[in-house]
Amino acid sequence: MPDGDALPGAFRASAFIGFRTLFYKEVLRFWKVGVQTVAAPVLNALLFLLIFSQVLDRRVTVYGDVPYTAFLVPGLIMMSLLQNAFANSSSSLIQSKITGNIIFILLPPLSCRVFYGAYVLAAVLRGLLVGLGVWAMSMFFVDVPLAQPLWALAFAILGGALLATFGVIAGIWAEKFDQLAAFQNFLIMPLTMLSGVFYSIHSLPPLWQKISHANPFFFMIDGFRYGFFGQSDTSPWLSLAVIGGSFAALAALAMLMLKKGYKLRG
Amino acid sequence: MADVPAIHIAQLTKHYGSVQALAGIDLDIARGEFFGLLGPNGAGKTTLISALAGLVRADGGTLEVMGHNVAADPRNARLKLGVVPQELVFDPFFTVREVLKFQSGYYGIRGNDDWIEEILSRLGLLAKADTNMRTLSGGMKRRVLVAQALVHRPPVIVLDEPTAGVDVELRQGLWEFVKQLNADGHTVVLTTHYLEEAEDLCGRIAMMKAGRVVALDTTANLLSRFADLEQVFMEVMRHA
């Protein structure tokens, strides 16, 4: 006879096991289709690198004497990392919602923190893997220094967590794939492209420099680039504060949505 | 604690916009019962089950599973409940065994391999254990849903139309398994449109219409006035 009030020790719920399982499931989900989720974004970034470096390398230097191709690499790494962190959490959630298998996550006693933490951490991991892939492949084409590795790591993790959180919000909010595609095509992609991945904002007219400072992606890319060259368009501390603040605000929003069961629990 | 019912529902209400899905449900299901929840489409059965499982938030009233309030103590309430959903949902990325291990982990259970193997065996899924979910037939997917609901050995099991679209062989095997679980002490709540199944299996039955319980009695008492449950059902629905 099952005793509902005195389950054996092995059956006591553990939030950590729940978190570890959901995290592992999310990692396995993207790893099983790694050609699509890791290799393809690396190839895309390399194509950008090859094309832009061929066209601009001998004509442009940045921060005084940094060749354009070297300047481009951290931007491409960060762009790929951010886009894939967003894609992972958002696509996993919308897919689960549309196919209905989200029920397997909603029925068990997983807390909002476990839900949020597992989705975000798995998305950050995919972003980091793609970023590492772009970095490793770019070494065949250009030497890029790594002057401040801890700064680079901090911006990679915090930027990835910010976009992964944004992906959780978008994945919960969206009800159709085209709504999610709108996020990617009309928000993430333009903000990334106009964030200084391909140029230093000092090469822009003053008005566009000011507008760039309203784009949080600029601070992520600029701060990450500081980790490589020890130079950046703006202070890394300011970038860290902007990204940290944005992350805290989005994380609070995501947790609120999960606690309310917004679009998850009727 | 033995007096605490497996499921306690009091004055439960739920609206979807202007539609009243649940209109003040009162229902107690004792521990160890095999209970049937019947009603036409749109009667509120699935909404009631979803509220019980925490998938839907009730507007008002009380819901408890093994004495744990679904709203105030969702963690323990969910641990005590296993739900087989009506829709044939699955995760196309994983194998049957992976799906069951994940589900076990979500409930915080470690080292559950022996029980997973037993469920696989008893539900006739061993040969398909390492097969990807998307390649399974509908009947096999239904078996996996049952396995997922049982992976944490819940004392209360809710089956929402588990035999819809399932062949006779699987249906028989599934009922043998569920009857054994009930004999072992699990409380079983079943919704089905196959009234003969409810007649054979359930000790007590509630009939719902328009979000209300319109009949509630033992199966024997319900059948005492009519030849079979279908006639009882038609009569109750006509007068409700």
Side-chain angles (χ1 to χ4, degrees), chain A residues 192-222:
Chain A
T192 323
M193 290 286 184
L194 299 173
S195 63
V197 171
F198 300 99
Y199 51 83
S200 162
I201 63 159
H202 285 127
S203 62
L204 297 175
L207 176 63
W208 283 103
Q209 285 191 33
K210 281 187 182 166
I211 291 173
S212 293
H213 280 89
N215 178 0
F217 286 71
F218 158 73
F219 294 97
M220 288 185 255
I221 304 250
D222 195 55

Side-chain angles (χ1 to χ4, degrees), chain A residues 10 45 58 67 79 82 98 110 126 128 132 152 166 221 250 264:
Chain A
R58 283 182 215 111
M79 180 181 84
L82 299 176
I98 287 176
L110 293 169
R126 173 171 156 192
L128 289 174
L132 280 171
F166 195 39
I221 304 250
L250 285 186
L264 291 174

Side-chain angles (χ1 to χ4, degrees), chain A residues 166-252:
Chain A
F166 195 39
V168 168
I169 292 168
I172 292 173
W173 176 82
E175 289 165 4
K176 297 183 284 185
F177 283 111
D178 58 338
Q179 288 176 328
L180 196 60
F183 261 96
Q184 268 170 321
N185 296 329
F186 297 107
L187 199 65
I188 305 290
M189 186 64 83
L191 285 176
T192 323
M193 290 286 184
L194 299 173
S195 63
V197 171
F198 300 99
Y199 51 83
S200 162
I201 63 159
H202 285 127
S203 62
L204 297 175
L207 176 63
W208 283 103
Q209 285 191 33
K210 281 187 182 166
I211 291 173
S212 293
H213 280 89
N215 178 0
F217 286 71
F218 158 73
F219 294 97
M220 288 185 255
I221 304 250
D222 195 55
F224 185 64
R225 198 169 263 141
Y226 177 83
F228 283 80
F229 303 113
Q231 302 176 71
S232 52
D233 287 335
T234 192
S235 158
W237 290 106
L238 174 65
S239 296
L240 201 64
V242 170
I243 301 166
S246 304
F247 171 67
L250 285 186

Side-chain angles (χ1 to χ4, degrees), chain A residues 1 4 12 32 101 265-266, chain B residues 54-55 57 80 90 98 108 184:
Chain A
M1 169 97 184
R12 278 190 203 123
K32 283 194 174 199
N101 66 51
R265 300 184 192 274
Chain B
L55 298 172
R57 293 177 199 269
K80 306 293 185 285
F90 65 96
E98 284 171 337
D184 292 344

Side-chain angles (χ1 to χ4, degrees), chain A residues 31-42:
Chain A
W31 191 250
K32 283 194 174 199
V33 284
V35 172
Q36 177 199 332
T37 56
V38 179
V42 171

Side-chain angles (χ1 to χ4, degrees), chain B:
Chain B
M1 289 299 284
D3 294 338
V4 174
I7 292 174
H8 170 66
I9 303 168
Q11 284 301 301
L12 194 72
T13 56
K14 176 69 184 175
H15 289 80
Y16 291 109
S18 60
V19 178
Q20 189 159 38
L22 299 175
I25 302 279
D26 290 298
L27 187 63
D28 276 357
I29 299 172
R31 294 182 183 208
E33 269 199 275
F34 202 130
F35 190 89
L37 198 56
L38 308 182
N41 290 332
K45 305 184 297 294
T46 297
T47 302
L48 181 60
I49 289 169
S50 298
L52 199 61
L55 298 172
V56 159
R57 293 177 199 269
D59 297 333
T62 304
L63 259 174
E64 290 175 0
V65 181
M66 302 295 280
H68 300 284
N69 190 291
V70 170
D73 185 14
R75 183 179 175 80
N76 280 311
R78 287 179 204 171
L79 269 174
K80 306 293 185 285
L81 190 69
V83 178
V84 181
Q86 192 181 123
E87 292 81 19
L88 212 53
V89 290
F90 65 96
D91 195 325
F93 284 89
F94 304 111
T95 66
V96 173
R97 200 189 302 276
E98 284 171 337
V99 158
L100 295 181
K101 285 191 171 186
F102 291 149
Q103 205 65 24
S104 184
Y106 298 155
Y107 282 93
I109 304 167
R110 183 169 23 203
N112 201 22
D113 289 357
D114 289 349
W115 176 237
I116 288 174
E117 291 304 307
E118 188 176 337
I119 303 174
L120 287 169
S121 169
R122 290 172 75 172
L123 284 166
L125 285 164
L126 266 181
K128 300 285 184 185
D130 296 310
T131 303
N132 188 288
M133 285 296 300
R134 70 174 173 273
T135 65
L136 296 183
S137 67
M140 283 291 176
K141 287 188 182 113
R142 182 73 68 186
R143 293 186 206 200
V144 178
L145 285 177
V146 176
Q148 282 179 272
L150 298 175
V151 81
H152 59 295
R153 299 202 212 215
V156 183
I157 301 159
V158 177
L159 302 118
D160 193 1
E161 298 188 32
T163 50
V166 164
D167 63 53
V168 175
E169 190 185 359
L170 169 61
R171 200 179 293 179
Q172 293 304 323
L174 179 64
W175 290 137
E176 286 308 313
F177 186 37
V178 174
K179 276 197 274 189
Q180 184 58 52
L181 289 168
N182 183 238
D184 292 344
H186 293 266
T187 306
V188 178
V189 179
L190 165 72
T191 81
T192 180
H193 285 294
Y194 300 108
L195 297 181
E196 66 278 15
E197 284 182 349
E199 191 175 322
D200 289 346
L201 296 163
C202 301
R204 212 154 61 99
I205 286 172
M207 294 184 185
M208 290 183 67
K209 186 178 181 184
R212 295 179 190 279
V213 173
V214 291
L216 173 64
D217 210 335
T218 61
T219 310
N221 281 348
L222 288 169
L223 287 169
S224 63
R225 286 171 291 148
F226 296 94
D228 58 32
L229 201 57
E230 191 169 329
Q231 284 188 30
V232 178
F233 184 81
M234 296 306 290
E235 194 65 20
V236 167
M237 290 302 138
R238 196 166 20 246
H239 291 100

